[in-house]
Amino acid sequence: MEEIIVKNNDINKRLDNFLLKLFPTFSRTNIYRLIRIKKIKVNDKKTQFDYRLQINDKVQVFVNQTIQKDDDLVFLKTNGKLKIVYEDANILIVNKPIGISVHDDESKSPNTLINIAKKYLFDTKAWDYRNENSFTPALVHRLDRNTQGLVIIAKNACALKTLNELIKEHKIRKFYKATVHGIIDPKQGLLKHFLTPNKATKIVTITNKQISPLSKQIVTKYTTVSHTLATSELDIELITGRTHQIRAHFAYIGHPLVGERKYTNKSVSETSKDKYQQLCAYKIIFDFNKEEGGCLSYLSHKTIHV
């Protein structure tokens, strides 16, 4: 029998989701059955799968299963350093350098941004995996390996939930600086198209209309800051935030990013001496009212720059 005491970062989680995190070998159906036959209880009483956990609740699992925690603890093997731009009790904002993946990828390197952040938070005693049931610090958005810029990391469950809600409601605004080939006409605009991902090829397709159930609308706002005869410097705001959106969107309209390879015509990309795409996530605006921010209300209308 396993007995788990609910802690701060578990509060208000649904019981079934909480157990799935702790017992990866369980299925949701299995959890429902165990609750029904009273093999899973809360505070010694029969419960429901959608019960919302409260601090110090006692979750009891009367089966021969062991809680599975991360025995590998890959983040302890990292040796990278964070470029911290902003930090408080709830969030961490870092300037990700070019060449680092934000999460695990094919390289299997432990030096991902999230692992480096976990190591930093563990070393500074802001987070201790040994005292948690299920929560780990998490990215709330991502950048490509070869894009530099600001990334937000949630340090606790309340911050993660609030940030996810604010991003979904477009109340966290993200801005980029980019250099593209050519001179864009008009000098500023709002691009609206559809993006369709392909998991097999790991590329996306941009079209004028929805071409499959996977197609999602993308909206990209841009302003030309300056230009030469060959390139334009842009200030970009992502109204939506989808995989490869900026790279693919500007390539689609005939102005690929300088240094970009995946979505750029080979004859154009070969003229660029830049090793990496010229793209930087340089500014984040927390554009919400205090009452909308919950545990992050103090961040309302705050701007963070690289």
Side-chain angles (χ1 to χ4, degrees), residues 61-75:
V61 182
F62 297 92
V63 293
N64 187 23
Q65 287 285 344
T66 303
I67 295 173
Q68 294 189 21
K69 291 205 172 184
D70 187 358
D71 295 326
D72 194 14
L73 300 176
V74 174
F75 71 89

Side-chain angles (χ1 to χ4, degrees), residues 173-219:
R173 300 169 63 192
K174 292 173 284 184
F175 295 81
Y176 295 73
K177 291 186 182 297
T179 305
V180 301
H181 289 282
I183 301 173
I184 295 184
D185 185 22
K187 292 185 178 180
Q188 60 184 32
L190 193 67
L191 306 176
K192 294 183 179 182
H193 295 92
F194 286 87
L195 179 150
T196 307
N198 185 319
K199 289 185 178 181
T201 61
K202 296 184 179 179
I203 63 171
V204 303
T205 301
I206 309 298
T207 53
N208 278 320
K209 60 183 180 180
Q210 190 171 21
I211 59 173
S212 89
L214 296 176
S215 301
K216 303 293 184 183
Q217 187 179 51
I218 55 171
V219 183

Side-chain angles (χ1 to χ4, degrees), residues 45-226:
K45 296 178 182 178
K46 186 176 180 180
T47 188
Q48 300 295 323
F49 71 88
D50 57 353
Y51 172 74
R52 295 284 177 174
L53 298 173
Q54 303 301 313
I55 190 70
N56 293 326
D57 273 349
K58 182 172 60 176
V59 179
Q60 299 152 303
V61 182
F62 297 92
V63 293
N64 187 23
Q65 287 285 344
T66 303
I67 295 173
Q68 294 189 21
K69 291 205 172 184
D70 187 358
D71 295 326
D72 194 14
L73 300 176
V74 174
F75 71 89
L76 293 176
K77 303 175 184 178
T78 62
N79 54 22
K81 300 294 183 182
L82 290 179
K83 296 180 179 180
I84 298 172
V85 177
Y86 175 85
E87 183 177 10
D88 62 35
N90 296 305
I91 70 168
L92 184 65
I93 301 180
V94 301
N95 183 5
K96 185 190 85 68
I98 290 172
I100 289 182
S101 177
V102 294
H103 52 75
D104 293 341
D105 59 13
E106 295 86 352
S107 71
K108 304 301 181 183
S109 169
N111 289 315
T112 62
L113 186 68
I114 189 57
N115 282 338
I116 296 169
K118 286 180 180 179
K119 178 68 160 52
Y120 165 78
L121 294 171
F122 178 71
D123 288 345
T124 58
K125 297 181 171 54
W127 167 73
D128 188 347
Y129 69 93
R130 295 167 297 190
N131 295 325
E132 296 288 349
N133 289 319
S134 60
F135 177 81
T136 60
L139 306 167
V140 296
H141 62 109
R142 301 175 178 182
L143 292 179
D144 295 336
R145 172 189 284 274
N146 291 329
T147 299
Q148 175 200 347
L150 299 176
V151 178
I152 309 171
I153 299 162
K155 295 167 66 172
N156 56 59
C158 179
L160 181 59
K161 180 177 183 292
T162 303
L163 288 165
N164 284 335
E165 289 172 352
L166 292 171
I167 286 176
K168 186 177 180 179
E169 295 168 3
H170 307 295
K171 291 176 180 176
I172 294 180
R173 300 169 63 192
K174 292 173 284 184
F175 295 81
Y176 295 73
K177 291 186 182 297
T179 305
V180 301
H181 289 282
I183 301 173
I184 295 184
D185 185 22
K187 292 185 178 180
Q188 60 184 32
L190 193 67
L191 306 176
K192 294 183 179 182
H193 295 92
F194 286 87
L195 179 150
T196 307
N198 185 319
K199 289 185 178 181
T201 61
K202 296 184 179 179
I203 63 171
V204 303
T205 301
I206 309 298
T207 53
N208 278 320
K209 60 183 180 180
Q210 190 171 21
I211 59 173
S212 89
L214 296 176
S215 301
K216 303 293 184 183
Q217 187 179 51
I218 55 171
V219 183
T220 309
K221 185 178 182 179
Y222 74 90
T223 299
T224 302
V225 177
S226 63

Side-chain angles (χ1 to χ4, degrees), residues 32-47:
Y32 296 166
R33 184 182 66 83
L34 291 172
I35 289 173
R36 189 173 62 252
I37 63 175
K38 301 180 184 179
K39 291 291 187 180
I40 293 175
K41 295 182 178 181
V42 176
N43 301 325
D44 299 308
K45 296 178 182 178
K46 186 176 180 180
T47 188

